[in-house]
Amino acid sequence: MIPVDKDQLLFYYYYMRMAKYDRLLFILNLLRTRRNLNAAMIAAECGVTERTIYRDVISISEANVPIYYDRGYKYASDNFLPPLNFNIDEYLTLISILESSPLYKSGLETKKIRSIKAKIEACLSQNVRKEKSFASKTTRIHIKSTETGKIKNRFYATIEQGIRESKIVRLRYNSIESGISEREIEPYFMIFIERAFYFVGYCYLRGEMRTFRIDRILKVSLTDKIFRPREDVDPKAYFKDSWGVYGGEPVNVRVLMTGKAARIVQMGKHHPSEEITIIDDNKIEYRVTVSGTEEICRWLLGFGGDITVIEPNSLIKEVQKRAGNILKNYK
C-alpha cells in the first residue's frame, strides 16, 4: 500500500473546499448581474467543466438559495448579499479604473478583474444597479500595451510568484545590447511603463540590480532557491532619477530648446527634477538630473533641430553620433 501523508490530504481537502465555496459565490454574483447564462457560459467564466457547474447548481439549491432556470439560470432574490454603499459616480469611477488597468488591457489579469467587477456589481444597491444600466460609460484611459499572448501570461505569473515567495528565477533573456543570455535573478518588483511590463531584480550574471522587459524573455522558470531580500531595494529610490525605466549614474543634463520643442516642453512636467529658464519667446534652457542618458537621448532626438545639448559631453557625442548615422541614410 502506498503511504498517505495525512497533512497533505487535509490541506488538499480544505483547499478544494475553499476553492468550491469561492466559485459558488462567484456564480451567484454572475447570476445577479447577468442574464440568460447557461451552464456552458458559467463554466467558461469559472474555468471548469459544465458537469462541475451542474453539481454547483445543486449545491446552491441545497443551501436554500433561490435559483431557477428560464432560458438561462436566474437568481430569484436580492436579499443574499448586503449592498455596498457606492453611489453611481463612485461605481463608474471604480469600474473605469479597473478597465483602464494595464493588467486588464494587456490580458494578463483579465479574468481576475472580471471576477472583481462581478463581485462589486453583485453587491450594489437596487437603485445603483438600475441607474448604471442607463448611465453612459465614463471616460476610459486607453493604455497601449505591446504584451499579449498566453506565453507572456505564464512568464508574468512565474515572476510574480518568485517575488511573492522570494525565489530565484532562471531566465533566457534577449537583451538589445548584449543578445541572448541565461541568467539567474532575484526578482523584487514589477512596473508597467511605456507600453510594457518590466521587472527589477538582482542579476547574478552582471552582479547588480537590472531592469528586464517581460516581453523580451524567451524562457523563464522558478527555481527552488530561496533568497533573502536585500534591505536596500526600494522601488521609489530605484526609479527616482530615471527618465523612464532604466537606471544608471545620476547625470546633470542641460539643453537649449527652440520653436516647437520649447513650446511642448513648457506644456507639461516630464521629470521631477526638471527646471526651465525662459530665455525669450522662442527659446528655453532645460535642466534635469537623470539616471543614465540612453532614454533622454532618444527623447531629445525626437525634437530634431530644435534642441542643442550643452552638457554633459557624453550626451553631446551620443546625439552627434546618432544624428550622423541618420544623415548617412539619406546621402
Side-chain angles (χ1 to χ4, degrees):
M1 180 179 292
I2 299 173
V4 177
D5 188 324
K6 292 183 179 179
D7 289 336
Q8 285 187 346
L9 283 177
L10 193 62
F11 171 80
Y12 180 76
Y13 171 72
Y14 282 111
Y15 174 80
M16 292 303 293
R17 283 188 65 189
M18 290 301 293
K20 180 178 180 180
Y21 290 153
D22 187 61
R23 188 174 66 249
L24 295 180
L25 180 60
F26 180 62
I27 291 171
L28 287 172
N29 291 335
L30 285 175
L31 297 182
R32 290 192 63 181
T33 57
R34 291 163 60 180
R35 295 182 177 182
N36 302 326
L37 290 173
N38 58 32
M41 295 174 181
I42 299 172
E45 291 284 349
C46 296
V48 296
T49 64
E50 289 184 48
R51 181 174 293 182
T52 298
I53 296 301
Y54 291 132
R55 289 197 295 265
D56 287 345
V57 169
I58 293 172
S59 297
I60 293 171
S61 298
E62 289 176 346
N64 295 320
V65 177
I67 61 173
Y68 64 97
Y69 190 90
D70 178 15
R71 290 176 297 178
Y73 288 103
K74 292 179 172 61
Y75 182 54
S77 173
D78 288 320
N79 298 320
F80 182 66
L81 293 173
L84 293 175
N85 292 321
F86 287 127
N87 61 37
I88 187 63
D89 290 332
E90 291 170 335
Y91 163 76
L92 291 175
T93 299
L94 182 57
I95 294 302
S96 178
I97 291 169
L98 287 172
E99 292 184 349
S100 301
S101 166
L103 294 172
Y104 184 82
K105 293 289 187 181
S106 65
L108 290 171
E109 298 288 5
T110 301
K111 187 174 180 180
K112 289 181 183 177
I113 291 175
R114 284 177 178 168
S115 174
I116 292 169
K117 287 171 57 183
K119 290 177 181 179
I120 291 170
E121 291 173 355
C123 297
L124 294 174
S125 68
Q126 278 284 11
N127 288 338
V128 172
R129 288 168 63 189
K130 289 178 181 178
E131 196 172 353
K132 80 179 182 68
S133 63
F134 297 103
S136 60
K137 288 192 174 182
T138 57
T139 301
R140 295 291 189 265
I141 303 169
H142 181 59
I143 299 176
K144 293 183 179 180
S145 172
T146 60
E147 298 192 54
T148 55
K150 292 182 179 179
I151 191 166
K152 300 305 178 190
N153 289 19
R154 293 202 301 273
F155 291 176
Y156 178 91
T158 301
I159 294 164
E160 186 180 45
Q161 184 180 353
I163 294 171
R164 189 171 60 250
E165 299 178 2
S166 295
K167 286 185 176 180
I168 292 172
V169 295
R170 186 175 292 114
L171 301 183
R172 182 172 172 79
Y173 188 71
N174 188 9
S175 168
I176 291 178
E177 300 295 330
S178 57
I180 297 174
S181 61
E182 304 281 344
R183 305 167 185 244
E184 287 195 345
I185 314 290
E186 296 176 3
Y188 283 94
F189 51 88
M190 282 190 281
I191 183 172
F192 182 90
I193 192 168
E194 295 184 354
R195 301 189 179 191
F197 280 95
Y198 296 79
F199 84 94
V200 175
Y202 183 84
C203 176
Y204 288 104
L205 180 66
R206 304 302 182 197
E208 62 182 2
M209 296 294 294
R210 285 293 183 103
T211 304
F212 301 92
R213 183 162 162 160
I214 292 180
D215 62 0
R216 292 186 190 139
I217 296 173
L218 304 178
K219 186 178 180 181
V220 61
S221 60
L222 191 67
T223 72
D224 293 327
K225 302 175 185 176
I226 304 293
F227 66 89
R228 178 180 292 179
R230 299 165 191 265
E231 295 181 359
D232 59 344
V233 177
D234 177 16
K236 288 185 178 180
Y238 186 83
F239 291 109
K240 179 177 178 291
D241 293 323
S242 66
W243 183 261
V245 176
Y246 299 103
E249 292 298 319
V251 179
N252 294 321
V253 175
R254 291 174 60 213
V255 184
L256 284 178
M257 296 183 167
T258 59
K260 187 176 180 180
R263 292 192 296 274
I264 289 174
V265 168
Q266 291 181 82
M267 290 173 66
K269 189 82 170 176
H270 304 277
H271 193 273
S273 70
E274 71 180 27
E275 295 179 358
I276 296 174
T277 299
I278 299 175
I279 298 173
D280 58 39
D281 291 342
N282 196 49
K283 183 185 292 186
I284 65 170
E285 181 179 308
Y286 182 79
R287 298 181 300 279
V288 66
T289 300
V290 294
S291 297
T293 58
E294 171 63 28
E295 290 170 307
I296 194 171
C297 181
R298 294 200 298 262
W299 180 67
L300 291 171
L301 285 169
F303 291 117
D306 288 343
I307 64 100
T308 303
V309 178
I310 302 173
E311 65 175 15
N313 286 331
S314 59
L315 182 56
I316 294 173
K317 291 178 181 178
E318 187 62 28
V319 169
Q320 289 174 335
K321 177 183 175 181
R322 297 190 186 191
N325 289 337
I326 292 172
L327 287 173
K328 287 179 183 178
N329 294 330
Y330 295 93
K331 289 183 179 179

